[in-house]
Every structure is written in structure tokens, then in C-alpha cells.
Amino acid sequence: MKHLIDILDLSTEQIDGLIATANDIIAHPEQYREKCHGKKLATLFYEPSTRTRLSFEAAMYELGGQVLGFSEAQSSSASKGESVADTARIISCYADIIAMRHYKEGAPLVASLHATVPVINAGDGGHNHPTQTLADLLTIQKEKGRLHDLVIGFCGDLKFGRTVHSLLNAMSRYENVRFVLISPEELRIPEYLRQELEKNGISFRETQNLEESLPELDILYMTRVQQERFFNEADYIRLRDSYILTSDKLKNARADLSILHPLPRVNEISVQVDSDPRACYFKQALYGKFIRMALILCLLDIQ
Ligand code: NCD
């Protein structure tokens, strides 16, 4: 594997390998401290980020490597009109690997066609977010001990939520996985994804009702309504609080439910829920660092 643009670039065997490496890093961090000595990661972030960028950077530092980059398009030559293709060519002269987040769908793919070093998609518009999915998969594997035989509820902004799209694609490849897609009518999954699920014979149901769906779920994947992708503020305001998970609502959920959220959270999970043992979202953010360490090693072909 040279780049990671789409989660489906990885086979399920490669995903198993990354999860195994992440678990080994968690168990023996000292064995990884010099693995990337002399290597540089460039983080090219044209859109805001806390977890993704900083966990990539922490990952590279913990592997003994170094980091350069920018955290907003305004401070790069993009503000002078430089293309993603040219930027990718140039950064390839300065870094050994690139993590790129861009507001345009497909921008990291374009970068990968022009870079001479591995490119990682760290989120492209409302499209995909494969490294969040790797963090989600590691979390599910650790919490449930398996990636198959699961009922997964996705709740919130399923239209613009790129983490949802990548995780749906990833989980579709495992045996006996069923999806419950909980969203307002206007924020249902995009048509192309619905067609993919249907074509692949994946079992899924769309609903607007969170409470009714909760009891059947093994995993609840909550998401933020993606304000930055809305064309009009009034629609965002009307839809932003469509779902708020509270301790009260969780009374009807399974005792072994795992609640995930890619974060940032706005209002969709009440802070009371944080102390519920079923809440996994802060662990999930930590696992994101370990799986990104595993991914960097894999893309740089370091054993
Ligand atoms: C997500 C994203 O950027 O898509 N955040 C993240 O990377 N963990 C989710 C979000 O912004 O709502």
C-alpha cells in the first residue's frame, strides 16, 4: 500500500495487521521510540482539526520522527492560488509522508497522484475520513473483541458526516453486520452510498427514531451535525439538536452497548453520559494516535 485515500484501499487483512501493530505499540511503546528516527511527517491541513492533526503529530513524535506543516490554508501558498498538485510535489521534497485534510472532496487523491511520498487522507470535505475509521475499528475491536456479528446504529448527520461514510464502507465487509441509520430526513446517507449498500446486499434500515432503535444496538455511533457543510444557517439551526443522547434515554439500551463519537461533540451527547461505562469516545480518540502510529510505520515500510 502506498497511499491511504479511501478505507477500501486497505484489505481486511491489512486492517487486522494495523490493529495488531497498534496493540503491540500500546503494550510495548518503548520498542517504537526510534522507529521513525530521521523521518518527517508533513501535516497539510486546509480545514480545522484538533484530534486528527495533533494525533498524527503526536504519533510521529512518539515514533522518534519529526513534523512540519500548516494548520490553515491561509498560512500556506494555497492563499496565493497554488494547486494541491503543485503543493504535493513540493512537500515531497521536504517530508517522507504527508497527511492532508482538505475541504474539497478528492483533494488528497489529487495530491497522491502528484506526490512522490505516501499521502494519507485526513478528511476530504463531506466524503471520507479513513484514519478516523481506523480509530473506530480499533475501538470496536477492543470493546467488542470482534468486527463481525454487530448491529451498529449511526445517528445524526449521515449526509455530510465523512466519518460515517468511511465506517459504513469498512464495516460492510464483515460478516453479519447490520446498520440502523438514524437521521432527520434531510440528513440521510447520500444516494451513492445507499446504492452501494443495496448492491452489496448489506442489511440496513433507515429511521428517524433514536429511542426506538437503541435497544437493538451493539454500537451507537453518534455524530455532530456538520455546520460547515450547510448552505444555509437556518437549516443548520433547525437540525442541529435533532438528537441529544442523555442518560435517561440510555436506560433502554443494552448493558454492553458501546457509544462512539469521532468528536468534536457539540450538543448531541449530554456530558452526563461521559461517566457511563458505555461511553467510549475519549478512549477512541486515544486509540486514534496508536493506529496512526501503526499506519505511518506501514506506509513507510518500517517493521
Ligand atoms: C470528524 C471530522 O473531521 O470529520 N472529526 C475528527 O476528525 N475526529 C468529525 C467531525 O468533525 O464532526
Side-chain angles (χ1 to χ4, degrees):
M1 179 203 8
K2 182 154 164 49
H3 306 287
L4 178 62
I5 302 303
D6 189 302
I7 193 66
L8 297 177
D9 295 344
L10 295 170
S11 65
T12 50
E13 290 74 23
Q14 284 173 314
I15 287 176
D16 290 347
L18 291 173
I19 290 178
T21 305
N23 279 320
D24 196 57
I25 294 170
I26 294 168
H28 310 286
E30 68 291 345
Q31 290 175 15
Y32 289 84
R33 274 188 199 129
E34 293 299 323
K35 293 268 187 196
C36 283
H37 181 76
K39 300 284 185 194
K40 282 171 281 171
L41 163 76
T43 50
L44 312 185
F45 276 61
Y46 296 78
E47 261 198 339
S49 171
T50 299
R51 267 150 298 274
T52 305
R53 185 171 65 82
L54 297 184
S55 69
F56 261 118
E57 297 190 354
M60 195 52 165
Y61 285 126
E62 289 190 25
L63 291 167
Q66 289 173 305
V67 174
L68 65 162
F70 53 82
S71 57
E72 48 181 335
Q74 270 317 99
S75 64
S76 78
S77 281
S79 65
K80 301 180 190 169
E82 185 167 63
S83 67
V84 162
D86 281 1
T87 302
R89 261 191 209 106
I90 299 306
I91 304 300
S92 298
C93 307
Y94 307 148
D96 302 283
I97 184 165
I98 295 171
M100 174 183 280
R101 168 170 289 186
H102 204 287
Y103 48 86
K104 277 199 187 143
E105 306 195 344
L109 173 64
V110 171
S112 73
L113 298 174
H114 295 89
T116 54
V117 299
V119 174
I120 302 169
N121 178 3
D124 61 328
H127 188 213
N128 280 328
H129 194 345
T131 67
Q132 179 61 47
T133 299
L134 291 174
D136 303 339
L137 295 175
L138 176 60
T139 308
I140 295 170
Q141 177 66 52
K142 287 185 93 62
E143 291 299 310
K144 292 283 175 262
R146 63 182 192 279
L147 294 171
H148 52 84
D149 294 286
L150 292 166
V151 181
I152 309 178
F154 289 86
C155 178
D157 188 345
L158 311 190
K159 179 180 181 186
F160 296 118
R162 56 193 172 193
T163 67
V164 171
H165 307 158
S166 292
L167 186 57
L168 275 170
N169 279 327
M171 292 306 302
S172 292
R173 295 192 295 193
Y174 296 96
E175 288 287 303
N176 198 20
V177 167
R178 184 156 62 79
F179 302 127
V180 182
L181 305 176
I182 309 155
S183 73
E185 178 64 27
E186 290 132 292
L187 298 180
R188 288 166 65 191
I189 56 166
E191 188 52 35
Y192 77 89
L193 258 178
R194 183 174 307 105
Q195 283 176 13
E196 266 310 284
L197 294 178
E198 280 165 2
K199 192 180 87 196
N200 294 323
I202 312 295
S203 170
F204 71 97
R205 175 169 73 81
E206 295 187 273
T207 173
Q208 297 188 20
N209 196 320
L210 171 62
E211 282 89 329
E212 212 175 85
S213 310
L214 263 175
E216 65 180 306
L217 304 180
D218 297 302
I219 293 166
L220 172 60
Y221 195 90
M222 292 297 294
T223 62
R224 171 180 74 90
V225 175
Q226 307 278 297
Q227 177 176 18
E228 63 276 37
R229 314 263 178 246
F230 276 70
F231 294 112
N232 123 25
E233 180 74 5
D235 285 345
Y236 169 68
I237 292 169
R238 183 167 50 78
L239 292 168
R240 65 181 170 191
D241 290 331
S242 298
Y243 301 100
I244 300 177
L245 187 67
T246 59
S247 301
D248 202 41
K249 287 182 191 157
L250 279 169
K251 285 186 184 133
N252 296 325
R254 296 172 58 122
D256 63 351
L257 172 74
S258 300
I259 306 163
L260 275 67
H261 190 311
L263 303 178
R265 152 184 56 189
V266 183
N267 222 7
E268 58 281 353
I269 301 182
S270 131
V271 290
Q272 308 165 297
V273 175
D274 298 355
S275 52
D276 188 305
R278 294 171 287 188
C280 299
Y281 29 94
F282 294 119
K283 272 189 262 183
Q284 191 183 349
L286 174 63
Y287 294 149
K289 180 183 72 178
F290 295 118
I291 202 82
R292 289 182 174 101
M293 290 171 79
L295 178 67
I296 291 169
L297 289 172
C298 173
L299 289 173
L300 291 177
D301 213 10
I302 294 171
Q303 309 304 318

